[in-house]
Amino acid sequence: MGYEVDVIGVGKESKSGDAIALRWGNLHGDRNDQKIVLIDGGFKETGQEVVDHIKNHYGTTSVDAVVSTHPDQDHVNGLHVVLDELTVKELWIHKPWEHNQGLAEKFLDGRVTDESIGRRLKESLDVAADLVAKAESKDIHIVEPFLGVSLYDQEEFRVLGPTREYYESLIPEFDGMPQARATIASMLAELTGSVARTMRRFKSTWGVDALDDEDTTSAKNNSSAITLLTVDGRNLLLTGDAGITALTYAADQLGALASGGNLRFIQIPHHGSRRNVGPAILNRLIGAPVQQGKLRNISAIASTAKKGEPKHPRKAVMNAFTHRGVSAKATRGNTICHHYDAPKRERWSAMEPEEYHWNYEDEE
């Protein structure tokens, strides 16, 4: 069997987003020999590009599953167009407004109730709630992507995280919630957000990651559905905007699999943000840094806007993947296809990996 992973170009200007199309099976045969999954749909204006990509390159209007990793607008908005224009068999999406039992006690305001928190979640995440309503109106089967879920109850495409328990622990920290009782994660996020940033020049040393192991991404990002595609023993890890904590839980699951070490592709989380990965989790998922010039047979792609730098992708993040012998690339508003045993596409050519950044400017 073969596979194609199309990281579709999202963000023609400075705002990055995610839309990833997967196809696997006998790619030289017909649609019945293949499975197709779409992970996120980018912004609203990206939706039609995603639909056209699946029609033009996969030759179909039918999708086995659409996965909404988390309800940020740069991931979920385009999925409305997808559900309108393609035949979708399953929608994988979390419904946090249905996970409101016992939440009221997590907040300082004693006037809130579980019911009011549920309403508040549904209102603040209205695009996701509307997507669920649209799927229900079209009789699309809805699945919440927690650990243990797999496509058609088979081993090929499965969810590595989050667990239901971890997901529910994150909800009080979602945007739009009342002031929560302080947690280590919320205090770190508040501290990180209050520090003024200035640009300065950095000089890299091979094998030394200019990253730390603190998880400072948002709770909503850490709630991302992390999925794994396994084809002929080759593992492809899709991370959404997950941070270090969520990725660590997923690494536990990946390590428990018989083919856990045969990683061939990893989505660089959160468009290459430095708040989502650190040396320890990269060592677990990929391996320790290697000698310069040594390569592992692993590709990594960050979905970034055309003018997203220096934030997306961070050069320190791209270097960290390169330290580990990974072929690291960033879309910069274009579409990149990672493939194995797939038909050749006319006017598509191989893309060189990111050059190592020995000297670069970034925020302190």
Side-chain angles (χ1 to χ4, degrees), residues 143-184:
V143 178
E144 288 200 85
F146 293 121
L147 174 64
V149 167
S150 61
L151 183 64
Y152 303 142
D153 294 324
Q154 298 175 1
E155 295 295 307
E156 293 171 338
F157 187 71
R158 71 188 90 178
V159 178
L160 295 188
T163 63
R164 182 182 298 270
E165 292 75 18
Y166 178 56
Y167 182 84
E168 291 177 347
S169 76
L170 295 170
I171 293 175
E173 301 290 337
F174 279 17
D175 299 339
M177 289 293 92
Q179 185 178 359
R181 301 184 188 280
T183 64
I184 293 175

mmCIF file of all heavy atoms in Angstrom, residues 143-184:
data_model
loop_
_atom_site.group_PDB
_atom_site.id
_atom_site.type_symbol
_atom_site.label_atom_id
_atom_site.label_comp_id
_atom_site.label_asym_id
_atom_site.label_seq_id
_atom_site.Cartn_x
_atom_site.Cartn_y
_atom_site.Cartn_z
ATOM 1 N N VAL A 143 -18.042 11.568 15.714
ATOM 2 C CA VAL A 143 -17.217 10.831 16.664
ATOM 3 C C VAL A 143 -16.337 11.845 17.400
ATOM 4 O O VAL A 143 -15.746 12.726 16.777
ATOM 5 C CB VAL A 143 -16.310 9.804 15.947
ATOM 6 C CG1 VAL A 143 -15.420 9.073 16.950
ATOM 7 C CG2 VAL A 143 -17.138 8.822 15.134
ATOM 8 N N GLU A 144 -16.262 11.715 18.726
ATOM 9 C CA GLU A 144 -15.311 12.547 19.462
ATOM 10 C C GLU A 144 -13.954 11.836 19.467
ATOM 11 O O GLU A 144 -13.851 10.696 19.928
ATOM 12 C CB GLU A 144 -15.794 12.808 20.885
ATOM 13 C CG GLU A 144 -16.976 13.765 20.948
ATOM 14 C CD GLU A 144 -17.150 14.386 22.326
ATOM 15 O OE1 GLU A 144 -16.494 15.409 22.604
ATOM 16 O OE2 GLU A 144 -17.940 13.836 23.114
ATOM 17 N N PRO A 145 -12.901 12.492 18.962
ATOM 18 C CA PRO A 145 -11.611 11.824 18.774
ATOM 19 C C PRO A 145 -10.773 11.748 20.051
ATOM 20 O O PRO A 145 -9.816 12.503 20.254
ATOM 21 C CB PRO A 145 -10.924 12.697 17.715
ATOM 22 C CG PRO A 145 -11.515 14.065 17.910
ATOM 23 C CD PRO A 145 -12.932 13.839 18.357
ATOM 24 N N PHE A 146 -11.142 10.802 20.904
ATOM 25 C CA PHE A 146 -10.362 10.521 22.099
ATOM 26 C C PHE A 146 -9.532 9.255 21.883
ATOM 27 O O PHE A 146 -9.773 8.483 20.948
ATOM 28 C CB PHE A 146 -11.282 10.334 23.308
ATOM 29 C CG PHE A 146 -12.010 11.587 23.720
ATOM 30 C CD1 PHE A 146 -13.399 11.616 23.753
ATOM 31 C CD2 PHE A 146 -11.310 12.732 24.075
ATOM 32 C CE1 PHE A 146 -14.079 12.764 24.137
ATOM 33 C CE2 PHE A 146 -11.984 13.890 24.454
ATOM 34 C CZ PHE A 146 -13.369 13.904 24.488
ATOM 35 N N LEU A 147 -8.546 9.064 22.747
ATOM 36 C CA LEU A 147 -7.693 7.885 22.666
ATOM 37 C C LEU A 147 -8.528 6.614 22.540
ATOM 38 O O LEU A 147 -9.481 6.410 23.284
ATOM 39 C CB LEU A 147 -6.822 7.794 23.935
ATOM 40 C CG LEU A 147 -5.966 6.540 24.085
ATOM 41 C CD1 LEU A 147 -4.931 6.468 22.977
ATOM 42 C CD2 LEU A 147 -5.305 6.507 25.453
ATOM 43 N N GLY A 148 -8.164 5.772 21.576
ATOM 44 C CA GLY A 148 -8.865 4.511 21.351
ATOM 45 C C GLY A 148 -9.749 4.518 20.128
ATOM 46 O O GLY A 148 -10.105 3.453 19.617
ATOM 47 N N VAL A 149 -10.106 5.706 19.634
ATOM 48 C CA VAL A 149 -10.933 5.799 18.430
ATOM 49 C C VAL A 149 -10.083 5.457 17.208
ATOM 50 O O VAL A 149 -8.920 5.864 17.103
ATOM 51 C CB VAL A 149 -11.526 7.218 18.291
ATOM 52 C CG1 VAL A 149 -12.120 7.439 16.904
ATOM 53 C CG2 VAL A 149 -12.573 7.460 19.365
ATOM 54 N N SER A 150 -10.655 4.709 16.272
ATOM 55 C CA SER A 150 -9.966 4.407 15.024
ATOM 56 C C SER A 150 -10.975 4.393 13.882
ATOM 57 O O SER A 150 -12.172 4.194 14.098
ATOM 58 C CB SER A 150 -9.239 3.055 15.103
ATOM 59 O OG SER A 150 -10.162 2.003 15.336
ATOM 60 N N LEU A 151 -10.487 4.609 12.693
ATOM 61 C CA LEU A 151 -11.353 4.658 11.513
ATOM 62 C C LEU A 151 -11.839 3.254 11.165
ATOM 63 O O LEU A 151 -11.022 2.346 10.929
ATOM 64 C CB LEU A 151 -10.597 5.264 10.328
ATOM 65 C CG LEU A 151 -11.400 5.456 9.045
ATOM 66 C CD1 LEU A 151 -12.528 6.465 9.248
ATOM 67 C CD2 LEU A 151 -10.502 5.908 7.893
ATOM 68 N N TYR A 152 -13.159 3.085 11.165
ATOM 69 C CA TYR A 152 -13.791 1.800 10.852
ATOM 70 C C TYR A 152 -13.289 0.675 11.772
ATOM 71 O O TYR A 152 -13.244 -0.490 11.369
ATOM 72 C CB TYR A 152 -13.567 1.425 9.387
ATOM 73 C CG TYR A 152 -14.050 2.455 8.402
ATOM 74 C CD1 TYR A 152 -13.334 2.718 7.236
ATOM 75 C CD2 TYR A 152 -15.201 3.209 8.636
ATOM 76 C CE1 TYR A 152 -13.764 3.675 6.321
ATOM 77 C CE2 TYR A 152 -15.637 4.164 7.726
ATOM 78 C CZ TYR A 152 -14.914 4.401 6.577
ATOM 79 O OH TYR A 152 -15.340 5.360 5.681
ATOM 80 N N ASP A 153 -12.865 1.039 12.996
ATOM 81 C CA ASP A 153 -12.380 0.073 13.985
ATOM 82 C C ASP A 153 -11.205 -0.744 13.469
ATOM 83 O O ASP A 153 -11.003 -1.895 13.859
ATOM 84 C CB ASP A 153 -13.508 -0.875 14.425
ATOM 85 C CG ASP A 153 -14.599 -0.134 15.182
ATOM 86 O OD1 ASP A 153 -14.265 0.794 15.938
ATOM 87 O OD2 ASP A 153 -15.780 -0.492 15.008
ATOM 88 N N GLN A 154 -10.408 -0.126 12.597
ATOM 89 C CA GLN A 154 -9.207 -0.772 12.086
ATOM 90 C C GLN A 154 -7.971 -0.063 12.645
ATOM 91 O O GLN A 154 -8.058 1.023 13.199
ATOM 92 C CB GLN A 154 -9.210 -0.760 10.555
ATOM 93 C CG GLN A 154 -10.376 -1.541 9.957
ATOM 94 C CD GLN A 154 -10.461 -1.425 8.448
ATOM 95 O OE1 GLN A 154 -9.638 -0.768 7.818
ATOM 96 N NE2 GLN A 154 -11.468 -2.064 7.865
ATOM 97 N N GLU A 155 -6.808 -0.683 12.460
ATOM 98 C CA GLU A 155 -5.584 -0.176 13.082
ATOM 99 C C GLU A 155 -4.873 0.893 12.249
ATOM 100 O O GLU A 155 -3.943 1.520 12.733
ATOM 101 C CB GLU A 155 -4.614 -1.335 13.335
ATOM 102 C CG GLU A 155 -5.129 -2.343 14.353
ATOM 103 C CD GLU A 155 -5.270 -1.743 15.737
ATOM 104 O OE1 GLU A 155 -4.296 -1.172 16.243
ATOM 105 O OE2 GLU A 155 -6.382 -1.832 16.307
ATOM 106 N N GLU A 156 -5.313 1.106 11.022
ATOM 107 C CA GLU A 156 -4.549 1.992 10.137
ATOM 108 C C GLU A 156 -4.533 3.438 10.612
ATOM 109 O O GLU A 156 -3.478 4.077 10.633
ATOM 110 C CB GLU A 156 -5.131 1.921 8.714
ATOM 111 C CG GLU A 156 -4.943 0.585 8.039
ATOM 112 C CD GLU A 156 -5.723 0.501 6.735
ATOM 113 O OE1 GLU A 156 -6.695 1.253 6.559
ATOM 114 O OE2 GLU A 156 -5.344 -0.332 5.898
ATOM 115 N N PHE A 157 -5.685 3.984 10.955
ATOM 116 C CA PHE A 157 -5.779 5.390 11.340
ATOM 117 C C PHE A 157 -6.450 5.469 12.699
ATOM 118 O O PHE A 157 -7.600 5.075 12.856
ATOM 119 C CB PHE A 157 -6.569 6.181 10.302
ATOM 120 C CG PHE A 157 -6.568 7.666 10.555
ATOM 121 C CD1 PHE A 157 -5.425 8.415 10.355
ATOM 122 C CD2 PHE A 157 -7.716 8.312 11.002
ATOM 123 C CE1 PHE A 157 -5.420 9.784 10.592
ATOM 124 C CE2 PHE A 157 -7.727 9.671 11.239
ATOM 125 C CZ PHE A 157 -6.573 10.419 11.033
ATOM 126 N N ARG A 158 -5.720 5.976 13.693
ATOM 127 C CA ARG A 158 -6.211 5.943 15.065
ATOM 128 C C ARG A 158 -5.837 7.219 15.813
ATOM 129 O O ARG A 158 -4.962 7.984 15.384
ATOM 130 C CB ARG A 158 -5.632 4.725 15.783
ATOM 131 C CG ARG A 158 -4.155 4.851 16.085
ATOM 132 C CD ARG A 158 -3.561 3.567 16.620
ATOM 133 N NE ARG A 158 -3.069 2.736 15.538
ATOM 134 C CZ ARG A 158 -2.461 1.586 15.734
ATOM 135 N NH1 ARG A 158 -2.313 1.102 16.950
ATOM 136 N NH2 ARG A 158 -2.005 0.890 14.717
ATOM 137 N N VAL A 159 -6.494 7.416 16.943
ATOM 138 C CA VAL A 159 -6.243 8.572 17.794
ATOM 139 C C VAL A 159 -5.284 8.169 18.915
ATOM 140 O O VAL A 159 -5.533 7.205 19.640
ATOM 141 C CB VAL A 159 -7.561 9.111 18.405
ATOM 142 C CG1 VAL A 159 -7.271 10.300 19.327
ATOM 143 C CG2 VAL A 159 -8.529 9.524 17.299
ATOM 144 N N LEU A 160 -4.198 8.938 19.072
ATOM 145 C CA LEU A 160 -3.245 8.707 20.158
ATOM 146 C C LEU A 160 -3.509 9.613 21.360
ATOM 147 O O LEU A 160 -2.937 9.414 22.424
ATOM 148 C CB LEU A 160 -1.807 8.937 19.673
ATOM 149 C CG LEU A 160 -1.260 7.989 18.610
ATOM 150 C CD1 LEU A 160 0.223 8.255 18.403
ATOM 151 C CD2 LEU A 160 -1.498 6.536 18.976
ATOM 152 N N GLY A 161 -4.322 10.613 21.186
ATOM 153 C CA GLY A 161 -4.630 11.525 22.291
ATOM 154 C C GLY A 161 -5.497 12.660 21.774
ATOM 155 O O GLY A 161 -5.614 12.876 20.563
ATOM 156 N N PRO A 162 -6.199 13.323 22.702
ATOM 157 C CA PRO A 162 -6.095 13.206 24.153
ATOM 158 C C PRO A 162 -7.011 12.109 24.707
ATOM 159 O O PRO A 162 -7.897 11.631 24.006
ATOM 160 C CB PRO A 162 -6.577 14.578 24.629
ATOM 161 C CG PRO A 162 -7.630 14.956 23.606
ATOM 162 C CD PRO A 162 -7.107 14.424 22.289
ATOM 163 N N THR A 163 -6.763 11.737 25.952
ATOM 164 C CA THR A 163 -7.754 10.939 26.657
ATOM 165 C C THR A 163 -8.914 11.847 27.038
ATOM 166 O O THR A 163 -8.770 13.074 27.092
ATOM 167 C CB THR A 163 -7.172 10.334 27.945
ATOM 168 O OG1 THR A 163 -6.809 11.402 28.833
ATOM 169 C CG2 THR A 163 -5.947 9.471 27.647
ATOM 170 N N ARG A 164 -10.051 11.263 27.316
ATOM 171 C CA ARG A 164 -11.208 12.058 27.742
ATOM 172 C C ARG A 164 -10.880 12.823 29.039
ATOM 173 O O ARG A 164 -11.222 13.993 29.177
ATOM 174 C CB ARG A 164 -12.418 11.152 27.961
ATOM 175 C CG ARG A 164 -13.683 11.894 28.369
ATOM 176 C CD ARG A 164 -14.818 10.904 28.617
ATOM 177 N NE ARG A 164 -15.145 10.177 27.416
ATOM 178 C CZ ARG A 164 -16.052 10.569 26.521
ATOM 179 N NH1 ARG A 164 -16.725 11.693 26.718
ATOM 180 N NH2 ARG A 164 -16.304 9.848 25.455
ATOM 181 N N GLU A 165 -10.181 12.165 29.956
ATOM 182 C CA GLU A 165 -9.883 12.796 31.239
ATOM 183 C C GLU A 165 -8.965 14.001 31.066
ATOM 184 O O GLU A 165 -9.194 15.060 31.677
ATOM 185 C CB GLU A 165 -9.233 11.769 32.184
ATOM 186 C CG GLU A 165 -10.154 10.647 32.632
ATOM 187 C CD GLU A 165 -10.403 9.604 31.545
ATOM 188 O OE1 GLU A 165 -9.606 9.550 30.559
ATOM 189 O OE2 GLU A 165 -11.399 8.857 31.658
ATOM 190 N N TYR A 166 -7.922 13.859 30.253
ATOM 191 C CA TYR A 166 -7.007 14.979 30.042
ATOM 192 C C TYR A 166 -7.727 16.128 29.328
ATOM 193 O O TYR A 166 -7.565 17.301 29.689
ATOM 194 C CB TYR A 166 -5.793 14.532 29.228
ATOM 195 C CG TYR A 166 -4.819 15.653 28.920
ATOM 196 C CD1 TYR A 166 -4.268 16.420 29.936
ATOM 197 C CD2 TYR A 166 -4.459 15.942 27.603
ATOM 198 C CE1 TYR A 166 -3.385 17.458 29.648
ATOM 199 C CE2 TYR A 166 -3.576 16.968 27.306
ATOM 200 C CZ TYR A 166 -3.039 17.723 28.341
ATOM 201 O OH TYR A 166 -2.182 18.743 28.051
ATOM 202 N N TYR A 167 -8.532 15.782 28.348
ATOM 203 C CA TYR A 167 -9.284 16.811 27.626
ATOM 204 C C TYR A 167 -10.172 17.611 28.579
ATOM 205 O O TYR A 167 -10.184 18.848 28.540
ATOM 206 C CB TYR A 167 -10.139 16.163 26.532
ATOM 207 C CG TYR A 167 -10.920 17.150 25.701
ATOM 208 C CD1 TYR A 167 -10.336 17.790 24.615
ATOM 209 C CD2 TYR A 167 -12.243 17.456 26.004
ATOM 210 C CE1 TYR A 167 -11.038 18.703 23.856
ATOM 211 C CE2 TYR A 167 -12.954 18.370 25.252
ATOM 212 C CZ TYR A 167 -12.352 18.991 24.167
ATOM 213 O OH TYR A 167 -13.061 19.905 23.435
ATOM 214 N N GLU A 168 -10.903 16.917 29.421
ATOM 215 C CA GLU A 168 -11.819 17.610 30.331
ATOM 216 C C GLU A 168 -11.062 18.468 31.344
ATOM 217 O O GLU A 168 -11.571 19.505 31.788
ATOM 218 C CB GLU A 168 -12.720 16.593 31.024
ATOM 219 C CG GLU A 168 -13.717 15.947 30.058
ATOM 220 C CD GLU A 168 -14.586 14.877 30.696
ATOM 221 O OE1 GLU A 168 -14.259 14.454 31.839
ATOM 222 O OE2 GLU A 168 -15.579 14.460 30.067
ATOM 223 N N SER A 169 -9.823 18.088 31.684
ATOM 224 C CA SER A 169 -9.031 18.905 32.605
ATOM 225 C C SER A 169 -8.593 20.220 31.971
ATOM 226 O O SER A 169 -8.273 21.180 32.684
ATOM 227 C CB SER A 169 -7.797 18.126 33.068
ATOM 228 O OG SER A 169 -6.793 18.075 32.058
ATOM 229 N N LEU A 170 -8.589 20.280 30.639
ATOM 230 C CA LEU A 170 -8.148 21.481 29.924
ATOM 231 C C LEU A 170 -9.269 22.500 29.724
ATOM 232 O O LEU A 170 -8.997 23.698 29.562
ATOM 233 C CB LEU A 170 -7.588 21.091 28.553
ATOM 234 C CG LEU A 170 -6.311 20.246 28.551
ATOM 235 C CD1 LEU A 170 -6.031 19.731 27.140
ATOM 236 C CD2 LEU A 170 -5.121 21.056 29.050
ATOM 237 N N ILE A 171 -10.518 22.056 29.731
ATOM 238 C CA ILE A 171 -11.638 22.926 29.372
ATOM 239 C C ILE A 171 -11.704 24.194 30.227
ATOM 240 O O ILE A 171 -11.968 25.288 29.679
ATOM 241 C CB ILE A 171 -12.964 22.142 29.421
ATOM 242 C CG1 ILE A 171 -12.981 21.075 28.321
ATOM 243 C CG2 ILE A 171 -14.157 23.077 29.252
ATOM 244 C CD1 ILE A 171 -14.202 20.161 28.357
ATOM 245 N N PRO A 172 -11.474 24.155 31.545
ATOM 246 C CA PRO A 172 -11.555 25.405 32.318
ATOM 247 C C PRO A 172 -10.573 26.477 31.867
ATOM 248 O O PRO A 172 -10.766 27.662 32.174
ATOM 249 C CB PRO A 172 -11.240 24.937 33.754
ATOM 250 C CG PRO A 172 -11.655 23.509 33.787
ATOM 251 C CD PRO A 172 -11.302 22.985 32.432
ATOM 252 N N GLU A 173 -9.524 26.089 31.132
ATOM 253 C CA GLU A 173 -8.528 27.050 30.654
ATOM 254 C C GLU A 173 -8.811 27.542 29.231
ATOM 255 O O GLU A 173 -8.033 28.323 28.689
ATOM 256 C CB GLU A 173 -7.134 26.406 30.693
ATOM 257 C CG GLU A 173 -6.704 25.933 32.064
ATOM 258 C CD GLU A 173 -6.407 27.071 33.019
ATOM 259 O OE1 GLU A 173 -6.117 28.175 32.546
ATOM 260 O OE2 GLU A 173 -6.487 26.842 34.237
ATOM 261 N N PHE A 174 -9.912 27.087 28.614
ATOM 262 C CA PHE A 174 -10.240 27.535 27.263
ATOM 263 C C PHE A 174 -10.539 29.035 27.255
ATOM 264 O O PHE A 174 -11.005 29.600 28.254
ATOM 265 C CB PHE A 174 -11.463 26.785 26.722
ATOM 266 C CG PHE A 174 -11.156 25.415 26.162
ATOM 267 C CD1 PHE A 174 -9.969 24.763 26.447
ATOM 268 C CD2 PHE A 174 -12.079 24.755 25.351
ATOM 269 C CE1 PHE A 174 -9.694 23.496 25.936
ATOM 270 C CE2 PHE A 174 -11.818 23.499 24.837
ATOM 271 C CZ PHE A 174 -10.620 22.868 25.133
ATOM 272 N N ASP A 175 -10.296 29.662 26.092
ATOM 273 C CA ASP A 175 -10.648 31.072 25.918
ATOM 274 C C ASP A 175 -12.138 31.273 26.176
ATOM 275 O O ASP A 175 -12.967 30.438 25.798
ATOM 276 C CB ASP A 175 -10.325 31.533 24.492
ATOM 277 C CG ASP A 175 -8.854 31.415 24.164
ATOM 278 O OD1 ASP A 175 -8.049 31.377 25.103
ATOM 279 O OD2 ASP A 175 -8.520 31.356 22.963
ATOM 280 N N GLY A 176 -12.480 32.405 26.815
ATOM 281 C CA GLY A 176 -13.881 32.742 27.020
ATOM 282 C C GLY A 176 -14.484 32.175 28.280
ATOM 283 O O GLY A 176 -15.635 32.465 28.605
ATOM 284 N N MET A 177 -13.717 31.369 29.014
ATOM 285 C CA MET A 177 -14.215 30.824 30.268
ATOM 286 C C MET A 177 -14.069 31.858 31.400
ATOM 287 O O MET A 177 -13.242 32.762 31.315
ATOM 288 C CB MET A 177 -13.452 29.553 30.629
ATOM 289 C CG MET A 177 -13.768 28.353 29.746
ATOM 290 S SD MET A 177 -15.469 27.747 29.964
ATOM 291 C CE MET A 177 -16.347 28.674 28.700
ATOM 292 N N PRO A 178 -14.877 31.719 32.466
ATOM 293 C CA PRO A 178 -14.680 32.593 33.628
ATOM 294 C C PRO A 178 -13.288 32.389 34.199
ATOM 295 O O PRO A 178 -12.577 31.441 33.838
ATOM 296 C CB PRO A 178 -15.750 32.110 34.615
ATOM 297 C CG PRO A 178 -16.725 31.341 33.801
ATOM 298 C CD PRO A 178 -15.957 30.752 32.661
ATOM 299 N N GLN A 179 -12.884 33.266 35.111
ATOM 300 C CA GLN A 179 -11.565 33.139 35.706
ATOM 301 C C GLN A 179 -11.481 31.842 36.498
ATOM 302 O O GLN A 179 -12.244 31.609 37.434
ATOM 303 C CB GLN A 179 -11.251 34.315 36.630
ATOM 304 C CG GLN A 179 -9.833 34.273 37.178
ATOM 305 C CD GLN A 179 -9.509 35.462 38.063
ATOM 306 O OE1 GLN A 179 -10.343 36.340 38.247
ATOM 307 N NE2 GLN A 179 -8.307 35.497 38.604
ATOM 308 N N ALA A 180 -10.530 31.000 36.095
ATOM 309 C CA ALA A 180 -10.388 29.700 36.740
ATOM 310 C C ALA A 180 -9.515 29.820 37.975
ATOM 311 O O ALA A 180 -8.735 30.764 38.128
ATOM 312 C CB ALA A 180 -9.779 28.699 35.765
ATOM 313 N N ARG A 181 -9.662 28.838 38.861
ATOM 314 C CA ARG A 181 -8.741 28.753 39.980
ATOM 315 C C ARG A 181 -7.357 28.483 39.402
ATOM 316 O O ARG A 181 -7.193 27.699 38.488
ATOM 317 C CB ARG A 181 -9.170 27.630 40.932
ATOM 318 C CG ARG A 181 -10.578 27.855 41.482
ATOM 319 C CD ARG A 181 -10.954 26.799 42.498
ATOM 320 N NE ARG A 181 -12.359 26.905 42.871
ATOM 321 C CZ ARG A 181 -12.840 27.785 43.743
ATOM 322 N NH1 ARG A 181 -12.029 28.632 44.345
ATOM 323 N NH2 ARG A 181 -14.138 27.813 44.023
ATOM 324 N N ALA A 182 -6.354 29.136 39.934
ATOM 325 C CA ALA A 182 -5.024 29.149 39.332
ATOM 326 C C ALA A 182 -4.453 27.743 39.203
ATOM 327 O O ALA A 182 -4.557 26.914 40.098
ATOM 328 C CB ALA A 182 -4.079 29.998 40.164
ATOM 329 N N THR A 183 -3.859 27.469 38.048
ATOM 330 C CA THR A 183 -3.130 26.233 37.815
ATOM 331 C C THR A 183 -1.730 26.610 37.355
ATOM 332 O O THR A 183 -1.467 27.741 36.955
ATOM 333 C CB THR A 183 -3.794 25.374 36.726
ATOM 334 O OG1 THR A 183 -3.737 26.095 35.481
ATOM 335 C CG2 THR A 183 -5.241 25.065 37.068
ATOM 336 N N ILE A 184 -0.818 25.661 37.410
ATOM 337 C CA ILE A 184 0.545 25.933 36.950
ATOM 338 C C ILE A 184 0.531 26.347 35.493
ATOM 339 O O ILE A 184 1.214 27.289 35.073
ATOM 340 C CB ILE A 184 1.423 24.681 37.147
ATOM 341 C CG1 ILE A 184 1.603 24.418 38.640
ATOM 342 C CG2 ILE A 184 2.780 24.857 36.479
ATOM 343 C CD1 ILE A 184 2.358 23.145 38.954
#
